[in-house]
Amino acid sequence: MGGVLTVFRRELAGYFATPVAYVFIVIFLVLAGALTFTLGNFFARGQADLQPFFSFVPWLFLFLVPALTMRLWAEERRLGTIELLLTLPIAQWQAVVGKFLAAWAFCGIALALTFPLVVTVNALGEPDNGVIATGYIGCLMVAGAFLAVGAAISAMTKNQVIAFVLAVAACFFLTAAGSPVVTEFLSKRIPELAEVARAISVTDRLAGFSRGVIAARDVVFFASFIGFFLFANTIAVDQRKAD
């Protein structure tokens, strides 16, 4: 794991070497607070919990995570530094995993900085902090899924804009697949496809975590989903590293 840790430290330090990381975090925190307390009807609900926040997290990540992943490999290939990275005494999969873990850790930091929301609900009532903790774990799983998809897409192109747009489209599909509008539409026309949409929906998976339930099937889903796209990422880097 030495190679993974080397890339991890390099990438994580790179995020905070520019103002981009701080802009990302500020935007995320402002939107998280605004959506939770306004559109989420936090006070009107009369319940001391973070269900409104958890319901909005996938939609926040829909744009913010692709903004992180678009540069992971596209920028390396555009600048020609990917050759330098891959000539280091590390395997390609170590570079892929290291970059992914750095981006995931960054998302974890952004989520951790929403702690004022936890403080607020504890000040206003007596929430089940165990449920809140599992909800945050679910949010981290969603971030990991989106990051894996976005990183794989970034490895396939030199253009960051294309990487961003395609990643947003893919993440939107994963987010909206389980929405009532989509599932009801498909249920009336193609019931089998409706079941597939529910199965791949990250919002449905997150709902279980936000209720305090860590189901094995949801953990397996996220683990296999992330693993598959990291494998695809490794293949894409190997196939296109000489472009």
Side-chain angles (χ1 to χ4, degrees):
M1 295 297 289
V4 172
L5 292 176
T6 298
V7 176
F8 171 82
R9 288 193 293 264
R10 168 185 179 267
E11 290 296 316
L12 190 59
Y15 283 121
F16 293 98
T18 65
V20 175
Y22 304 99
V23 171
F24 175 94
I25 290 176
V26 169
I27 292 175
F28 176 77
L29 295 178
V30 169
L31 290 177
L35 292 174
T36 300
F37 291 110
T38 56
L39 294 181
N41 297 319
F42 180 83
F43 294 105
R45 293 173 67 250
Q47 298 181 34
D49 60 30
L50 287 182
Q51 290 298 326
F53 169 68
F54 295 138
S55 66
F56 284 118
V57 163
W59 299 99
L60 289 174
F61 283 157
L62 176 62
F63 293 99
L64 299 179
V65 169
L68 282 178
T69 60
M70 69 180 186
R71 60 169 291 276
L72 282 183
W73 294 101
E75 181 72 0
E76 296 271 13
R77 293 179 62 242
R78 187 182 69 84
L79 297 176
T81 54
I82 189 171
E83 288 82 4
L84 177 61
L85 175 64
L86 297 179
T87 54
L88 296 175
I90 58 174
Q92 288 183 14
W93 70 267
Q94 291 177 311
V96 169
V97 173
K99 278 177 168 286
F100 168 78
L101 290 179
W104 207 6
F106 182 83
C107 288
I109 293 171
L111 282 171
L113 290 176
T114 62
F115 72 90
L117 297 177
V118 181
V119 174
T120 300
V121 295
N122 276 275
L124 295 176
E126 297 181 356
D128 187 334
N129 287 309
V131 172
I132 292 176
T134 59
Y136 270 98
I137 292 172
C139 292
L140 199 57
M141 293 296 102
V142 172
F146 285 2
L147 285 167
V149 173
I153 292 174
S154 179
M156 298 176 185
T157 177
K158 291 181 180 180
N159 192 308
Q160 293 189 51
V161 175
I162 293 175
F164 175 78
V165 172
L166 292 178
V168 168
C171 294
F172 177 79
F173 176 75
L174 293 171
T175 303
S179 66
V181 174
V182 174
T183 54
E184 287 177 12
F185 175 82
L186 292 176
S187 296
K188 295 177 181 178
R189 292 164 176 79
I190 315 174
E192 296 80 8
L193 196 56
E195 292 301 318
V196 173
R198 292 190 186 96
I200 64 174
S201 170
V202 296
T203 51
D204 281 6
R205 306 283 178 176
L206 177 59
F209 283 93
S210 63
R211 291 193 298 268
V213 179
I214 302 180
R217 62 185 181 87
D218 293 333
V219 174
V220 171
F221 169 80
F222 281 115
S224 57
F225 189 92
I226 292 171
F228 173 80
F229 278 98
L230 289 182
F231 176 74
N233 189 352
T234 304
I235 298 299
V237 170
D238 182 61
Q239 294 295 322
R240 302 181 65 90
K241 63 184 178 182
D243 290 358

Coordinates of all heavy atoms in Angstrom, one line a residue, residues 58-126:
P58 N -27.4 13.8 -2.3 CA -27.0 13.3 -3.6 C -27.1 14.4 -4.7 O -26.4 14.4 -5.6 CB -28.1 12.2 -3.8 CG -28.5 11.8 -2.5 CD -28.4 13.0 -1.6
W59 N -28.1 15.3 -4.5 CA -28.2 16.4 -5.5 C -27.1 17.4 -5.4 O -26.7 18.0 -6.4 CB -29.6 17.1 -5.3 CG -30.7 16.1 -5.6 CD1 -31.4 15.4 -4.6 CD2 -31.2 15.6 -6.8 NE1 -32.3 14.6 -5.2 CE2 -32.2 14.7 -6.5 CE3 -30.9 15.9 -8.1 CZ2 -32.9 14.0 -7.6 CZ3 -31.6 15.2 -9.2 CH2 -32.6 14.3 -8.9
L60 N -26.6 17.6 -4.2 CA -25.4 18.5 -4.0 C -24.2 17.9 -4.7 O -23.4 18.5 -5.4 CB -25.2 18.8 -2.5 CG -26.1 19.6 -1.8 CD1 -25.8 19.7 -0.3 CD2 -26.1 21.0 -2.3
F61 N -24.0 16.6 -4.4 CA -22.9 15.9 -5.0 C -23.0 15.7 -6.5 O -22.0 15.6 -7.2 CB -22.8 14.5 -4.4 CG -22.2 14.4 -3.0 CD1 -22.5 13.4 -2.2 CD2 -21.4 15.4 -2.5 CE1 -21.9 13.3 -0.9 CE2 -20.9 15.4 -1.3 CZ -21.1 14.3 -0.4
L62 N -24.2 15.9 -7.0 CA -24.4 15.7 -8.5 C -23.5 16.6 -9.3 O -23.1 16.3 -10.4 CB -25.9 16.0 -8.8 CG -26.4 16.0 -10.2 CD1 -26.1 14.6 -10.8 CD2 -27.8 16.3 -10.3
F63 N -23.3 17.8 -8.8 CA -22.5 18.8 -9.5 C -21.1 19.0 -8.9 O -20.1 19.2 -9.6 CB -23.2 20.2 -9.6 CG -24.4 20.2 -10.4 CD1 -25.7 20.1 -9.8 CD2 -24.4 20.3 -11.8 CE1 -26.8 20.1 -10.6 CE2 -25.5 20.3 -12.6 CZ -26.7 20.2 -11.9
L64 N -21.0 18.9 -7.6 CA -19.8 19.2 -6.9 C -18.8 18.1 -7.0 O -17.6 18.3 -7.2 CB -20.0 19.5 -5.4 CG -20.9 20.7 -5.2 CD1 -21.2 20.9 -3.7 CD2 -20.3 22.0 -5.8
V65 N -19.2 16.8 -7.0 CA -18.3 15.7 -7.2 C -17.7 15.7 -8.6 O -16.5 15.5 -8.7 CB -18.9 14.4 -6.8 CG1 -18.1 13.2 -7.2 CG2 -19.2 14.3 -5.3
P66 N -18.5 15.8 -9.7 CA -17.9 15.9 -11.0 C -16.9 17.0 -11.1 O -15.9 16.9 -11.9 CB -19.1 16.0 -11.9 CG -20.2 15.4 -11.2 CD -20.0 15.7 -9.8
A67 N -17.1 18.1 -10.4 CA -16.1 19.2 -10.5 C -14.8 18.8 -9.9 O -13.8 19.3 -10.3 CB -16.7 20.4 -9.7
L68 N -14.8 17.8 -8.9 CA -13.6 17.3 -8.4 C -12.9 16.3 -9.4 O -11.7 16.3 -9.6 CB -13.8 16.6 -7.1 CG -14.0 17.5 -5.8 CD1 -14.3 16.5 -4.6 CD2 -12.8 18.3 -5.5
T69 N -13.7 15.4 -9.9 CA -13.2 14.3 -10.7 C -12.8 14.7 -12.1 O -11.9 14.0 -12.7 CB -14.2 13.2 -10.8 OG1 -15.4 13.6 -11.4 CG2 -14.6 12.6 -9.4
M70 N -13.3 15.8 -12.6 CA -13.0 16.1 -14.0 C -11.5 16.4 -14.2 O -11.0 16.2 -15.3 CB -13.8 17.4 -14.4 CG -13.4 18.7 -13.8 SD -14.4 20.0 -14.4 CE -13.6 21.4 -13.6
R71 N -10.8 16.7 -13.2 CA -9.3 17.0 -13.3 C -8.5 15.8 -12.9 O -7.3 15.9 -13.2 CB -8.9 18.2 -12.5 CG -9.2 18.0 -11.0 CD -8.6 19.1 -10.1 NE -7.1 19.0 -10.2 CZ -6.4 18.2 -9.4 NH1 -7.0 17.4 -8.5 NH2 -5.1 18.2 -9.4
L72 N -9.0 14.8 -12.3 CA -8.2 13.7 -11.8 C -7.3 13.1 -12.8 O -6.1 13.0 -12.6 CB -9.1 12.6 -11.2 CG -9.7 12.9 -9.9 CD1 -10.5 11.6 -9.4 CD2 -8.7 13.2 -8.8
W73 N -7.8 12.8 -14.0 CA -7.0 12.2 -15.1 C -6.9 13.0 -16.3 O -5.9 13.1 -17.0 CB -7.5 10.8 -15.4 CG -7.3 9.8 -14.3 CD1 -8.3 9.4 -13.4 CD2 -6.1 9.2 -13.9 NE1 -7.8 8.5 -12.5 CE2 -6.4 8.4 -12.8 CE3 -4.8 9.2 -14.4 CZ2 -5.5 7.6 -12.1 CZ3 -3.9 8.4 -13.7 CH2 -4.2 7.6 -12.6
A74 N -8.0 13.8 -16.6 CA -8.0 14.6 -17.8 C -6.9 15.7 -17.7 O -6.3 15.9 -18.7 CB -9.4 15.3 -17.9
E75 N -6.8 16.3 -16.6 CA -5.7 17.3 -16.4 C -4.3 16.7 -16.5 O -3.4 17.2 -17.2 CB -5.9 18.0 -15.1 CG -4.9 19.1 -14.8 CD -5.1 20.3 -15.6 OE1 -6.1 20.3 -16.4 OE2 -4.3 21.3 -15.5
E76 N -4.1 15.5 -16.0 CA -2.8 14.8 -16.1 C -2.5 14.5 -17.5 O -1.4 14.7 -18.0 CB -2.9 13.5 -15.3 CG -3.1 13.6 -13.8 CD -1.8 13.8 -13.0 OE1 -0.7 14.0 -13.7 OE2 -1.8 13.7 -11.8
R77 N -3.5 14.1 -18.3 CA -3.3 13.7 -19.7 C -3.1 15.0 -20.5 O -2.3 15.0 -21.4 CB -4.4 12.9 -20.2 CG -4.5 11.5 -19.6 CD -5.7 10.7 -20.1 NE -5.5 10.4 -21.5 CZ -6.4 10.8 -22.4 NH1 -7.4 11.5 -22.1 NH2 -6.2 10.6 -23.7
R78 N -3.8 16.0 -20.2 CA -3.7 17.3 -21.0 C -2.3 17.9 -20.8 O -1.7 18.4 -21.8 CB -4.8 18.3 -20.6 CG -4.8 19.5 -21.4 CD -5.8 20.5 -20.9 NE -5.5 21.1 -19.7 CZ -4.7 22.1 -19.5 NH1 -4.1 22.7 -20.6 NH2 -4.4 22.6 -18.3
L79 N -1.8 17.9 -19.6 CA -0.5 18.5 -19.3 C 0.7 17.5 -19.6 O 1.8 17.9 -19.6 CB -0.4 18.9 -17.8 CG -1.4 20.0 -17.4 CD1 -1.3 20.2 -15.9 CD2 -1.2 21.3 -18.1
G80 N 0.4 16.2 -19.8 CA 1.4 15.3 -20.1 C 2.1 14.7 -18.9 O 3.1 14.0 -19.0
T81 N 1.6 15.0 -17.7 CA 2.2 14.6 -16.4 C 1.8 13.2 -16.1 O 2.3 12.6 -15.1 CB 1.8 15.5 -15.3 OG1 0.4 15.6 -15.2 CG2 2.4 16.9 -15.5
I82 N 0.8 12.6 -16.9 CA 0.4 11.2 -16.6 C 1.6 10.3 -16.8 O 1.7 9.3 -16.1 CB -0.8 10.8 -17.4 CG1 -1.3 9.5 -16.9 CG2 -0.5 10.8 -18.9 CD1 -2.7 9.1 -17.6
E83 N 2.4 10.6 -17.8 CA 3.6 9.7 -18.1 C 4.5 9.7 -16.9 O 5.1 8.7 -16.5 CB 4.3 10.1 -19.3 CG 3.6 9.8 -20.6 CD 2.5 10.8 -21.0 OE1 2.4 11.9 -20.2 OE2 1.8 10.6 -22.0
L84 N 4.7 10.9 -16.3 CA 5.6 11.0 -15.1 C 5.0 10.2 -13.9 O 5.8 9.5 -13.2 CB 5.8 12.5 -14.7 CG 6.6 12.8 -13.5 CD1 8.0 12.3 -13.6 CD2 6.6 14.3 -13.2
L85 N 3.7 10.4 -13.7 CA 3.1 9.6 -12.6 C 3.2 8.1 -12.8 O 3.5 7.4 -11.8 CB 1.6 10.0 -12.6 CG 0.7 9.3 -11.6 CD1 1.2 9.6 -10.1 CD2 -0.7 9.7 -11.7
L86 N 3.0 7.7 -14.0 CA 3.0 6.2 -14.3 C 4.4 5.6 -14.4 O 4.6 4.4 -14.5 CB 2.2 5.9 -15.5 CG 0.7 6.2 -15.4 CD1 0.0 5.9 -16.7 CD2 0.0 5.5 -14.2
T87 N 5.4 6.5 -14.5 CA 6.8 6.0 -14.5 C 7.3 5.8 -13.0 O 8.4 5.3 -12.9 CB 7.8 6.9 -15.2 OG1 7.6 8.3 -14.7 CG2 7.4 6.9 -16.7
L88 N 6.6 6.3 -12.1 CA 7.0 6.0 -10.7 C 6.9 4.5 -10.4 O 6.2 3.8 -11.0 CB 6.0 6.8 -9.7 CG 6.1 8.3 -9.8 CD1 5.0 8.9 -8.9 CD2 7.4 8.9 -9.4
P89 N 7.7 4.1 -9.4 CA 7.7 2.6 -9.1 C 6.4 2.2 -8.4 O 6.4 1.7 -7.3 CB 8.9 2.5 -8.2 CG 9.0 3.8 -7.5 CD 8.6 4.8 -8.6
I90 N 5.3 2.4 -9.0 CA 4.0 2.0 -8.5 C 3.2 1.4 -9.6 O 3.4 1.7 -10.8 CB 3.2 3.2 -7.8 CG1 2.9 4.3 -8.9 CG2 3.9 3.7 -6.6 CD1 2.0 5.4 -8.4
A91 N 2.3 0.5 -9.3 CA 1.4 -0.1 -10.3 C 0.3 0.9 -10.6 O 0.0 1.8 -9.9 CB 0.8 -1.4 -9.7
Q92 N -0.3 0.7 -11.8 CA -1.4 1.6 -12.2 C -2.6 1.6 -11.3 O -3.2 2.6 -11.0 CB -1.8 1.2 -13.6 CG -0.8 1.6 -14.7 CD -1.3 1.2 -16.1 OE1 -2.5 1.0 -16.3 NE2 -0.4 1.2 -17.1
W93 N -2.9 0.4 -10.8 CA -4.0 0.4 -9.8 C -3.8 1.1 -8.6 O -4.7 1.7 -8.0 CB -4.4 -1.1 -9.5 CG -3.4 -1.8 -8.6 CD1 -2.3 -2.6 -9.0 CD2 -3.4 -1.8 -7.2 NE1 -1.7 -3.1 -7.9 CE2 -2.2 -2.6 -6.8 CE3 -4.1 -1.2 -6.2 CZ2 -1.9 -2.8 -5.5 CZ3 -3.8 -1.4 -4.9 CH2 -2.7 -2.2 -4.5
Q94 N -2.5 1.2 -8.2 CA -2.1 2.0 -7.0 C -2.4 3.5 -7.2 O -2.8 4.2 -6.3 CB -0.7 1.7 -6.6 CG -0.4 0.3 -6.0 CD 1.0 0.1 -5.7 OE1 1.9 0.4 -6.5 NE2 1.3 -0.5 -4.6
A95 N -2.0 4.0 -8.4 CA -2.3 5.4 -8.8 C -3.8 5.7 -8.8 O -4.2 6.7 -8.3 CB -1.6 5.7 -10.1
V96 N -4.5 4.7 -9.4 CA -6.0 4.9 -9.5 C -6.6 5.0 -8.1 O -7.4 5.8 -7.7 CB -6.6 3.8 -10.3 CG1 -8.1 3.8 -10.2 CG2 -6.2 3.9 -11.8
V97 N -6.3 4.0 -7.2 CA -6.8 3.9 -5.9 C -6.4 5.1 -5.0 O -7.1 5.7 -4.3 CB -6.4 2.6 -5.2 CG1 -6.9 2.6 -3.7 CG2 -7.1 1.4 -5.9
G98 N -5.1 5.5 -5.2 CA -4.6 6.7 -4.4 C -5.3 7.9 -4.8 O -5.7 8.7 -3.9
K99 N -5.5 8.2 -6.0 CA -6.3 9.4 -6.5 C -7.7 9.3 -6.0 O -8.3 10.3 -5.5 CB -6.3 9.5 -8.0 CG -5.0 10.1 -8.6 CD -5.1 10.1 -10.1 CE -4.0 11.0 -10.7 NZ -4.2 12.4 -10.6
F100 N -8.3 8.2 -6.1 CA -9.7 8.0 -5.6 C -9.8 8.3 -4.1 O -10.7 9.0 -3.7 CB -10.2 6.6 -6.0 CG -11.5 6.3 -5.3 CD1 -12.7 6.8 -5.8 CD2 -11.5 5.4 -4.2 CE1 -13.9 6.5 -5.1 CE2 -12.7 5.1 -3.5 CZ -13.9 5.6 -4.0
L101 N -9.0 7.7 -3.3 CA -9.0 7.8 -1.9 C -8.8 9.3 -1.5 O -9.4 9.7 -0.5 CB -8.0 6.9 -1.2 CG -8.3 5.4 -1.3 CD1 -7.2 4.6 -0.6 CD2 -9.6 5.1 -0.6
A102 N -7.9 10.0 -2.2 CA -7.7 11.4 -1.9 C -8.9 12.2 -2.1 O -9.3 13.1 -1.3 CB -6.5 11.9 -2.7
A103 N -9.6 12.0 -3.2 CA -10.8 12.7 -3.5 C -11.9 12.3 -2.5 O -12.7 13.2 -2.1 CB -11.3 12.4 -5.0
W104 N -12.0 11.0 -2.2 CA -13.0 10.6 -1.2 C -12.7 11.2 0.2 O -13.6 11.6 0.9 CB -12.9 9.1 -1.1 CG -14.2 8.4 -0.7 CD1 -15.4 9.0 -0.5 CD2 -14.4 7.0 -0.4 NE1 -16.4 8.1 -0.1 CE2 -15.8 6.9 0.0 CE3 -13.6 5.9 -0.4 CZ2 -16.4 5.7 0.3 CZ3 -14.2 4.7 -0.1 CH2 -15.5 4.5 0.3
A105 N -11.5 11.3 0.6 CA -11.1 11.9 1.8 C -11.5 13.4 1.8 O -12.0 13.9 2.8 CB -9.6 11.8 2.1
F106 N -11.3 14.0 0.7 CA -11.7 15.4 0.6 C -13.2 15.6 0.8 O -13.7 16.5 1.5 CB -11.3 16.0 -0.8 CG -11.6 17.4 -1.0 CD1 -10.7 18.4 -0.5 CD2 -12.8 17.8 -1.6 CE1 -11.0 19.8 -0.7 CE2 -13.1 19.2 -1.8 CZ -12.2 20.1 -1.3
C107 N -14.0 14.7 0.2 CA -15.4 14.7 0.3 C -15.8 14.5 1.8 O -16.7 15.1 2.3 CB -16.1 13.7 -0.6 SG -16.1 14.1 -2.3
G108 N -15.0 13.6 2.4 CA -15.3 13.3 3.8 C -15.0 14.5 4.7 O -15.7 14.8 5.7
I109 N -14.0 15.3 4.4 CA -13.7 16.5 5.1 C -14.9 17.5 4.9 O -15.3 18.2 5.9 CB -12.4 17.1 4.6 CG1 -11.2 16.3 5.0 CG2 -12.2 18.6 5.2 CD1 -9.9 16.7 4.4
A110 N -15.4 17.6 3.7 CA -16.5 18.5 3.4 C -17.7 18.1 4.2 O -18.4 19.0 4.8 CB -16.8 18.5 1.9
L111 N -18.0 16.8 4.3 CA -19.1 16.3 5.1 C -18.9 16.6 6.6 O -19.8 17.0 7.3 CB -19.3 14.8 4.9 CG -20.0 14.4 3.6 CD1 -20.0 12.9 3.4 CD2 -21.5 14.9 3.6
A112 N -17.7 16.4 7.1 CA -17.4 16.6 8.5 C -17.6 18.0 8.9 O -18.0 18.3 10.0 CB -15.9 16.2 8.8
L113 N -17.4 19.0 8.0 CA -17.5 20.4 8.3 C -19.0 20.8 8.3 O -19.3 22.0 8.7 CB -16.8 21.2 7.2 CG -15.2 21.1 7.3 CD1 -14.6 21.9 6.1 CD2 -14.7 21.6 8.6
T114 N -19.9 19.9 8.1 CA -21.3 20.2 8.3 C -21.7 19.9 9.7 O -22.9 19.9 10.0 CB -22.2 19.4 7.3 OG1 -22.1 18.0 7.6 CG2 -21.9 19.7 5.9
F115 N -20.8 19.7 10.6 CA -21.1 19.4 12.0 C -22.0 20.4 12.7 O -22.7 20.1 13.6 CB -19.8 19.2 12.8 CG -19.0 20.5 13.1 CD1 -19.3 21.2 14.2 CD2 -18.0 20.9 12.2 CE1 -18.6 22.4 14.5 CE2 -17.3 22.1 12.4 CZ -17.6 22.8 13.6
P116 N -22.0 21.7 12.3 CA -22.9 22.7 12.9 C -24.4 22.2 12.8 O -25.2 22.6 13.6 CB -22.7 24.0 12.1 CG -21.2 23.9 11.7 CD -21.1 22.5 11.4
L117 N -24.7 21.5 11.7 CA -26.1 21.0 11.6 C -26.4 20.0 12.7 O -27.5 20.0 13.2 CB -26.2 20.3 10.2 CG -26.1 21.2 9.0 CD1 -26.2 20.3 7.7 CD2 -27.1 22.3 9.0
V118 N -25.4 19.1 13.0 CA -25.6 18.2 14.1 C -25.7 18.9 15.4 O -26.5 18.5 16.3 CB -24.4 17.2 14.1 CG1 -24.6 16.1 15.2 CG2 -24.2 16.5 12.8
V119 N -24.9 19.9 15.6 CA -25.0 20.7 16.9 C -26.3 21.3 17.0 O -26.9 21.4 18.1 CB -23.8 21.7 16.9 CG1 -24.0 22.7 18.1 CG2 -22.5 21.1 16.9
T120 N -26.8 21.9 15.9 CA -28.1 22.5 15.9 C -29.2 21.6 16.3 O -30.1 22.0 17.1 CB -28.4 23.1 14.5 OG1 -27.4 24.1 14.1 CG2 -29.8 23.9 14.5
V121 N -29.3 20.4 15.6 CA -30.4 19.5 16.0 C -30.3 19.0 17.4 O -31.4 18.8 18.1 CB -30.5 18.3 15.0 CG1 -30.8 18.8 13.6 CG2 -29.2 17.5 15.0
N122 N -29.1 18.9 17.9 CA -29.0 18.5 19.3 C -29.3 19.6 20.3 O -29.8 19.3 21.4 CB -27.5 18.0 19.6 CG -27.3 16.6 19.2 OD1 -27.6 15.7 19.9 ND2 -26.8 16.4 18.0
A123 N -29.1 20.8 19.8 CA -29.5 22.0 20.7 C -31.0 22.2 20.7 O -31.6 22.6 21.7 CB -28.8 23.2 20.2
L124 N -31.7 21.8 19.6 CA -33.1 22.0 19.5 C -34.0 20.9 20.0 O -35.2 21.0 20.3 CB -33.5 22.3 18.0 CG -32.9 23.6 17.4 CD1 -33.3 23.6 15.9 CD2 -33.5 24.8 18.1
G125 N -33.4 19.7 20.1 CA -34.1 18.5 20.6 C -33.2 17.4 21.0 O -32.1 17.6 21.4
E126 N -33.7 16.2 21.0 CA -33.0 15.0 21.3 C -33.0 14.0 20.2 O -33.7 13.0 20.2 CB -33.6 14.4 22.6 CG -33.5 15.3 23.8 CD -34.1 14.7 25.1 OE1 -34.6 13.5 25.0 OE2 -34.0 15.3 26.1

